[in-house]
Amino acid sequence: MPDSPRGSTDKEPERRGAVSSPTVPVAQVSGGRLIGPDTDTSIRVPHTVQDGPEPVSPVTEPPVETPPDSPEREAMRARIKKFVLTVVVIAALGGALFGYDTGVISGVLVYLTPDFALSQTQVGVITSSLLIGAAIGSITGGWMADRWGRRTTLLFAGALFFIGALAQALAPDATVMIITRLFLGVAVGTASLVVPMYVSEISPPTYRGRLVSMNSLMIASGQLLAYIVNALLAPTGNWRLMLAMAAVPAAALVIGMYFMPDSPRWYLKQGRTADAKKVLEQSYYPENVEPTIAEIEQSEAADAAVKDSLSDQLRKPKVRALFYTGIGLALIQQFVGVNTVIYYAPSTLAQAGMGDNAAITSSIGIGVGAVLGVMLGMSLVDKIGRRPPMFLGLAIMVVALVGMGLMERLTQSTATGYVLVTLMIVYVCAFQLGVGVPTWLLISEIFPAPIRATAMSICTFLIWMGNFTVSLVFPPLGELWGASTMFFLFAVVSALSLVFCYRRVPETMGESLDDITSKAES
């Protein structure tokens, strides 16, 4: 990509402590800030290294807002955004499949239960079998991503999504359904771990929060798509087609990822510097490519020199605190009860007085609420930070859950059902704002580099095991205690979660991954 006219013609400014490259222009230091080589606008820097008296960052990511400059620079910026968004959207199809396969079961159960004569315990096992597979995938996915690469691992997950979708649609009985959903779950768990990892490593730091959160948007969009497909097919009761439709985005994921690169960080780990440089030249400005490579290599060399195991790292107080915070976030995401709404909303609404078709159609509103919550969260995490949306979302969730519990105790009627579905929409929207978006983002950020993959695997595993536990016990406990008692219990958990997040969750807005590592290990 061409340099701007000023960057190519002006005499290189004097600077002290800057990291230079023989082939690219280098930013200038002024008052402790970097001045871009083709603009007089100062650039915010995310990570500081010392190479002289003045601190200078080797990585100056594209600024969010800059004055108009040369046509070449504008064209360059447009190409960068197009490339990064293309990679992120294709990778995030894994999130959409995650959302579809977890959301579609809500409508399927309405027709599958009488067709297979299922008990409430069997309903819980069929729903949660996918989650056991997801827990397995979250553990093996990290190893696969490090050994084979992020791209190859997502190709594998896409193929498994495709095969699993068709296999469960053809299941002749409950046993085969459980087995096929178990294997499908491995794909879901792998994607839930590797997609945020891949996106966070390929995204410029300035946009990382919004781009990693794109995965959450695709998860919510996948769930909304599942609700729409369920509603369209509800008059026919064709639950097999509901399940088989997941093969379409699975095929798109495989085809799309085939043409995508791996992350620069993984290429550099494999000694493939030329490949890493090629990717960075498409996602960073030219003057940032060599410094970014140098920073990643320096970070990887430091990590290799440390060679700390998880237990060694956990002896450091700050690292241990962050690890426990990550575990807490993983458990909060599930034990506030969101998946009881996603998986069992039609059944709950039907019991509250709606007909089967009306209950399934009303679930579309829940999907819309989830998408709106993710979009709101994405717009805020890089503007006001990770913490404020968490506090707001959790507070609204407490109120909505209490209201849902009260509605469940009223006499069953169509009016009660519509009030209940409205509260569910508010609750799911608040969940995505306060828990869904921030949790997936934070567990991809807060852990030091030497244990990031391991810690993320553990947290993702706990997310899926928590999901499994709640999904398994909700039908029988809801039948025993009543859904209202369960909603009140989730309200208490949400209130305690608000206290936990206020006391323990750090703010990571605007910090590079390497800067977060340095602070944790200090």
Side-chain angles (χ1 to χ4, degrees), residues 174-232:
T175 300
V176 175
M177 175 69 75
I178 291 169
I179 294 172
T180 56
R181 283 181 62 78
L182 183 70
F183 280 99
L184 186 62
V186 174
V188 172
T190 301
S192 70
L193 173 71
V194 180
V195 171
M197 181 190 301
Y198 176 65
V199 173
S200 68
E201 291 179 352
I202 210 165
S203 303
T206 300
Y207 308 124
R208 191 181 66 237
R210 278 165 287 176
L211 293 177
V212 174
S213 298
M214 181 73 74
N215 186 51
S216 296
L217 177 61
M218 294 296 277
I219 293 172
S221 298
Q223 290 169 345
L224 174 58
L225 177 62
Y227 293 142
I228 293 172
V229 170
N230 287 349
L232 292 175

Side-chain angles (χ1 to χ4, degrees), residues 56 76 205 292 459 480:
V56 180
M76 188 186 304
T292 300
C459 288
L480 179 64

Side-chain angles (χ1 to χ4, degrees), residues 67-298:
D69 46 20
S70 68
E72 293 86 352
R73 194 71 168 183
E74 290 293 340
M76 188 186 304
R77 182 179 295 113
R79 286 196 298 270
I80 289 172
K81 289 183 177 180
K82 181 180 179 180
F83 170 75
V84 173
L85 284 175
T86 300
V87 173
V88 170
V89 169
I90 290 174
L93 284 173
L97 285 159
F98 166 179
Y100 188 91
D101 285 316
T102 54
V104 73
I105 196 66
S106 64
V108 168
L109 288 174
V110 174
Y111 306 103
L112 182 66
T113 301
D115 280 3
F116 285 178
L118 302 176
S119 67
Q120 286 302 305
T121 299
Q122 288 176 311
V123 168
V125 172
I126 286 176
T127 303
S128 58
S129 58
L130 180 140
L131 308 174
I132 289 292
I136 296 171
S138 68
I139 292 296
T140 59
W143 174 82
M144 292 171 61
D146 282 340
R147 183 177 178 85
W148 298 336
R150 284 60 162 149
R151 171 183 171 274
T152 301
T153 302
L154 288 176
L155 280 170
F156 165 78
L160 205 53
F161 272 124
F162 183 83
I163 296 170
L166 297 180
Q168 68 171 346
L170 298 173
D173 54 43
T175 300
V176 175
M177 175 69 75
I178 291 169
I179 294 172
T180 56
R181 283 181 62 78
L182 183 70
F183 280 99
L184 186 62
V186 174
V188 172
T190 301
S192 70
L193 173 71
V194 180
V195 171
M197 181 190 301
Y198 176 65
V199 173
S200 68
E201 291 179 352
I202 210 165
S203 303
T206 300
Y207 308 124
R208 191 181 66 237
R210 278 165 287 176
L211 293 177
V212 174
S213 298
M214 181 73 74
N215 186 51
S216 296
L217 177 61
M218 294 296 277
I219 293 172
S221 298
Q223 290 169 345
L224 174 58
L225 177 62
Y227 293 142
I228 293 172
V229 170
N230 287 349
L232 292 175
L233 295 178
T236 68
N238 192 342
W239 58 265
R240 294 186 184 275
L241 185 55
M242 294 176 185
L243 295 172
M245 288 296 291
V248 177
L253 175 62
V254 172
I255 294 171
M257 284 307 301
Y258 179 80
F259 295 100
M260 292 299 105
D262 217 308
S263 76
R265 186 173 293 269
W266 186 79
Y267 280 139
L268 289 172
K269 282 184 178 180
Q270 307 304 308
R272 297 167 61 177
T273 305
D275 289 328
K277 184 176 181 179
K278 185 177 179 180
V279 177
L280 288 170
E281 285 173 344
Q282 298 179 81
S283 56
Y284 281 72
Y285 290 129
E287 65 270 22
N288 300 331
V289 173
E290 294 293 343
T292 300
I293 290 175
E295 185 185 39
I296 294 174
E297 289 179 336
Q298 182 181 14

Side-chain angles (χ1 to χ4, degrees), residues 376-395:
L376 181 59
M378 288 175 63
S379 69
L380 294 178
V381 291
D382 281 334
K383 292 181 180 178
I384 65 174
R386 281 52 161 161
R387 282 167 56 89
M390 297 186 84
F391 305 153
L392 177 62
L394 283 164

